[in-house]
């Protein structure tokens, strides 16, 4: 519970908000309370001043009495002393505390203005103001005004009670808000956590439905997408493993079968030669297959690096042609090249040669005697286009979308005879795409096949 995200977020929020609220309340409370007390003290002082002004005009018995009568009806107490502090009139009974205040002041100071002489409202029972009666520059007496602090205390208490209620309400509301808020954030996170747990347990179908358009919504979408991709990947891997084991099993069956035959007694020397040749051929296929698979695995793990350089395509193509021409002539296929002199591509020559050899090999394998195979290179703006055209058997439309898939062959048995493993085009596509180019195949069964490779010229122009 304590480690849960919702709790952590909520707790942190709560602490922050509590601190902010307490600060706000403290400032507000002290301001209001002080304001009220100041009002009371000001009022008290004003009253003392008024009385002393009245007495300054008429310092006699009847005015003194008048002042006393006025205050006896109010909540205040007035005490008037002569210049030496002797009480000459008062409105109510003089309490012990009042007497202390009256005795505490210095009667020798030539104070002319009224002032507060007791403001400790929370300790004392009375607060007090004093105003001297000055007549003709001489101090004739002092007016003391007292106010019971009970009222002030009651006022301030009321204020505190109100503040406590409001504070409790605010804290309550804050807690509820935080609770809802943290749920709102953590609920989807918990859902996603569960989904990824499912994923790691091997459950591939996770659906995180969410209409949220925020980051959490995006995250949920990414997880769903990832899960789907993982699912596809697993299916592809299983299919791939199935085909690989099939691919490996067939030549091994041949090898084992012919090895068994050779071991028999009743077999002629020429038969032994023939069968050993088959065994060698099959082993050769196997090692090519394994090498190709290894290459693909490297490409998958991005361990595959290309070393680009500026390559004259014409030179490269003619050197390939020289090597493969005998095989074409053997099958009586005419091979023609059309490549302008000056075309330079920024490619890895070895890899690019691998691609072209495989494509030309395919063209040769699937063409009949007497047909033509053409290789054409052209340049369009920044693009170099290499097109290979053959007049062979072509590829059925239903197979075209899968032609670049690993181990895919149109007619398994026939291409077996010609030694194909169905990896050539996969590797070619991988290489061309690593170069940032594209490879496309169009074909018409019975008419022929066209392979188009597009590359950005790159190099110095990049
Ligand atoms: N020019 C073509 N004409 C007709 N079919 C073709 C042509 N090129 C490719 N194909 C078909 O596409 C399949 C895949 O080609 P790919 O080069 O990947 O494999 P492969 O030639 O069979 O084996 P590998 O190249 O690994 O030795 C081939 O088996 C073949 O059926
Ligand atoms: Mg091939």
């Amino acid at each position: 519970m304590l480690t849960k995200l919702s709790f952590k977020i909520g707790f942190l929020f709560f602490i922050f908000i509590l601190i902010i609220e307490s600060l706000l309340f403290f400032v507000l409370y002290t301001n209001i309370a002080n304001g009220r007390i100041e009002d009371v003290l000001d009022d008290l002082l004003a009253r003392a001043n008024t009385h002393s002004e009245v007495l300054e005009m008429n310092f006699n018995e009847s005015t003194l009495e008048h002042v006393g009568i006025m205050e006896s009806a109010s909540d205040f107490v007035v005490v008037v002393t002569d210049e030496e502090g002797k009480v000459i009139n008062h409105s109510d009974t003089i309490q012990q505390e009042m007497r202390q205040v009256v005795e505490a002041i210095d009667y020798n100071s030539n104070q002319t203005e009224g002032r507060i002489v007791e403001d400790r409202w929370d300790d004392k029972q009375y607060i007090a103001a004093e105003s001297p009666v000055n007549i003709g520059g001489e101090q004739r007496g002092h007016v003391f005004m007292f106010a019971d602090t009970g009222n002030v205390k009651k006022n301030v208490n009321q204020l505190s009670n109100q503040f406590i209620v409001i504070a409790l309400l605010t804290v309550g509301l804050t807690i509820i808000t935080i609770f809802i808020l943290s749920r709102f954030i953590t609920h989807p996170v918990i859902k996603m956590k569960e989904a990824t747990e499912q994923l790691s347990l091997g459950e591939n179908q996770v659906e995180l439905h969410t209409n949220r358009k925020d980051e959490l919504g995006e995250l949920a979408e990414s997880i769903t997408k990832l899960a789907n991709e993982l699912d596809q990947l697993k299916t592809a891997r299983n299919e791939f493993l199935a085909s690989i084991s099939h691919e490996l099993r067939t030549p091994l069956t041949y090898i084992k079968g012919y090895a068994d035959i050779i071991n028999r007694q009743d077999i002629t020397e020429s038969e032994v030669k023939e069968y050993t040749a088959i065994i060698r051929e099959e082993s050769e296929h196997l090692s090519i297959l394994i090498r190709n698979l290894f290459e693909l695995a490297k490409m998958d793990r991005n361990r595959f690096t290309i070393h680009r350089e500026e390559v004259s395509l014409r030179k490269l193509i003619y050197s390939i042609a020289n090597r493969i021409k005998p095989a074409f002539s053997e099958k009586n296929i005419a091979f023609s090249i059309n490549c302008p002199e000056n075309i330079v591509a920024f490619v890895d020559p070895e890899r690019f040669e691998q691609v072209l050899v495989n494509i030309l090999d395919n063209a040769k394998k699937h063409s009949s005697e007497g047909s033509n195979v053409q290789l054409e290179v052209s340049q369009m703006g920044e693009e170099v286009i290499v097109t290979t055209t053959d007049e062979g058997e072509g590829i059925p439309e239903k197979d075209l979308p899968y032609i670049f898939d690993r181990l895919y062959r149109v007619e398994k048995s026939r291409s077996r005879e010609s030694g194909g493993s169905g990896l050539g085009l996969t590797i070619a596509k991988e290489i061309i795409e690593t170069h940032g180019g594209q490879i496309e195949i169009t074909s018409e069964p019975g008419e022929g096949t066209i392979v188009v490779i597009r590359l950005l010229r790159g190099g110095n122009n990049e």
Side-chain angles (χ1 to χ4, degrees):
M1 166 72 187
L2 290 184
T3 54
K4 278 204 171 150
L5 190 62
S6 56
F7 180 79
K8 284 186 190 164
I9 295 177
F11 187 69
L12 216 69
F13 257 63
F14 183 69
I15 296 291
F16 276 137
I17 289 185
L18 206 66
I19 291 174
I20 294 172
E21 276 176 3
S22 318
L23 274 175
L24 271 178
F25 274 26
F26 178 72
V27 171
L28 207 65
Y29 174 81
T30 37
N31 272 346
I32 294 179
N34 286 343
R36 290 201 183 169
I37 291 154
E38 248 159 55
D39 285 349
V40 176
L41 288 172
D42 286 349
D43 190 26
L44 202 64
L45 185 58
R47 278 183 113 92
N49 285 339
T50 320
H51 291 319
S52 78
E53 275 162 29
V54 171
L55 286 170
E56 278 164 7
M57 286 186 282
N58 271 314
F59 196 67
N60 55 29
E61 206 53 41
S62 82
T63 319
L64 276 172
E65 212 163 293
H66 183 70
V67 167
I69 290 167
M70 251 175 72
E71 290 302 352
S72 64
S74 75
D75 286 342
F76 303 92
V77 178
V78 68
V79 174
V80 185
T81 66
D82 62 10
E83 68 274 22
E84 280 168 346
K86 202 169 130 257
V87 177
I88 49 179
N89 195 14
H90 53 92
S91 61
D92 304 69
T93 17
I94 302 177
Q95 305 292 334
Q96 176 66 22
E97 219 174 73
M98 298 180 189
R99 196 169 297 281
Q100 281 167 4
V101 171
V102 171
E103 284 165 3
I105 72 159
D106 176 11
Y107 287 94
N108 293 323
S109 82
N110 273 330
Q111 163 109 20
T112 52
E113 295 292 313
R115 63 198 161 122
I116 301 291
V117 287
E118 183 59 85
D119 61 355
R120 289 171 291 172
W121 61 273
D122 41 357
D123 285 346
K124 301 281 178 181
Q125 204 197 331
Y126 294 97
I127 45 176
E130 178 266 339
S131 184
V133 182
N134 284 315
I135 298 172
E138 220 181 291
Q139 242 178 38
R140 298 289 300 276
H142 298 267
V143 177
F144 290 88
M145 285 297 305
F146 296 92
D148 195 334
T149 51
N151 271 338
V152 180
K153 281 178 187 152
K154 215 168 82 192
N155 257 336
V156 172
N157 269 346
Q158 243 170 22
L159 189 70
S160 332
N161 285 343
Q162 282 166 358
F163 263 87
I164 287 171
V165 171
I166 292 173
L168 285 180
L169 262 175
T170 321
V171 168
L173 277 178
T174 311
I175 290 176
I176 292 172
T177 317
I178 286 167
F179 186 74
I180 293 173
L181 215 88
S182 59
R183 283 273 125 166
F184 181 71
I185 295 171
T186 51
H187 182 73
V189 175
I190 290 168
K191 275 263 171 284
M192 285 185 246
K193 190 192 105 195
E194 283 167 3
T196 47
E197 270 168 7
Q198 291 280 303
L199 269 186
S200 64
L201 287 177
E203 175 65 56
N204 298 331
Q205 235 59 56
V206 300
E207 285 291 330
L208 287 163
H209 291 293
T210 170
N211 298 323
R212 298 170 68 130
K213 291 273 170 287
D214 53 11
E215 287 87 342
L216 286 175
E218 279 167 22
L219 186 61
E221 226 164 74
S222 305
I223 290 178
T224 314
K225 216 169 105 199
L226 208 68
N228 289 340
E229 270 166 24
L230 199 66
D231 192 39
Q232 281 167 7
L233 218 66
K234 275 187 187 167
T235 321
R237 186 193 60 187
N238 288 345
E239 279 170 10
F240 184 56
L241 280 177
S243 8
I244 285 202
S245 59
H246 177 79
E247 286 306 316
L248 293 176
R249 195 152 5 103
T250 322
L252 283 176
T253 318
Y254 276 98
I255 292 172
K256 183 173 175 294
Y258 284 111
D260 284 345
I261 296 175
I262 291 171
N263 262 341
R264 288 209 312 247
Q265 306 292 321
D266 58 341
I267 181 166
T268 66
E269 191 139 322
S270 73
E271 278 174 318
V272 170
K273 265 200 178 135
E274 189 191 329
Y275 298 153
T276 345
I278 295 176
I279 290 178
R280 184 174 304 122
E281 210 173 281
E282 289 296 334
S283 321
E284 183 69 19
H285 284 172
L286 264 182
S287 71
I288 292 176
L289 176 68
I290 289 167
R291 199 175 56 225
N292 284 342
L293 282 173
F294 187 60
E295 194 143 274
L296 271 177
K298 269 202 302 198
M299 290 175 180
D300 274 353
R301 274 194 277 151
N302 287 334
R303 293 264 183 82
F304 172 69
T305 45
I306 51 172
H307 305 285
R308 289 177 174 225
E309 53 191 78
E310 305 220 325
V311 177
S312 156
L313 280 188
R314 192 179 160 94
K315 247 168 112 183
L316 183 75
I317 286 167
Y318 273 93
S319 95
I320 298 172
N322 278 338
R323 253 182 306 130
I324 59 170
K325 253 192 178 139
F328 274 80
S329 335
E330 200 179 295
K331 229 183 143 183
N332 201 10
I333 298 170
F335 177 42
S336 59
I337 298 171
N338 179 3
C339 178
E341 289 250 12
N342 52 356
I343 295 189
V344 172
F346 191 57
V347 291
D348 181 330
E350 264 174 52
R351 295 296 179 183
F352 197 61
E353 182 174 326
Q354 197 182 349
V355 172
L356 289 182
V357 167
N358 178 53
I359 287 166
L360 291 172
D361 178 56
N362 284 350
K364 187 202 74 194
K365 275 195 295 195
H366 301 282
S367 292
S368 45
E369 291 210 2
S371 64
N372 295 300
V373 171
Q374 257 184 15
L375 197 158
E376 217 178 306
V377 182
S378 61
Q379 189 172 322
M380 286 243 287
E382 284 302 291
E383 247 184 5
V384 175
I385 304 168
V386 182
T387 313
T388 322
T389 317
D390 68 49
E391 301 167 353
E393 68 206 26
I395 304 165
E397 207 185 323
K398 67 169 173 49
D399 293 299
L400 263 182
Y402 310 107
I403 215 76
F404 290 107
D405 288 358
R406 3 194 104 181
L407 301 172
Y408 194 87
R409 294 180 312 234
V410 172
E411 231 176 287
K412 314 274 179 218
S413 56
R414 194 172 52 199
S415 72
R416 244 209 90 67
E417 279 165 27
S418 50
S421 60
L423 288 174
L425 284 180
T426 318
I427 295 175
K429 187 177 162 91
E430 208 67 55
I431 292 174
I432 294 299
E433 285 179 353
T434 314
H435 277 84
Q438 294 139 14
I439 178 167
E440 279 159 24
I441 295 189
T442 46
S443 186
E444 192 64 51
E447 299 278 320
T449 303
I450 303 170
V451 183
V452 182
I453 297 172
R454 289 166 201 280
L455 286 169
L456 278 181
R457 201 150 51 110
N460 291 338
N461 304 313
E462 241 174 5

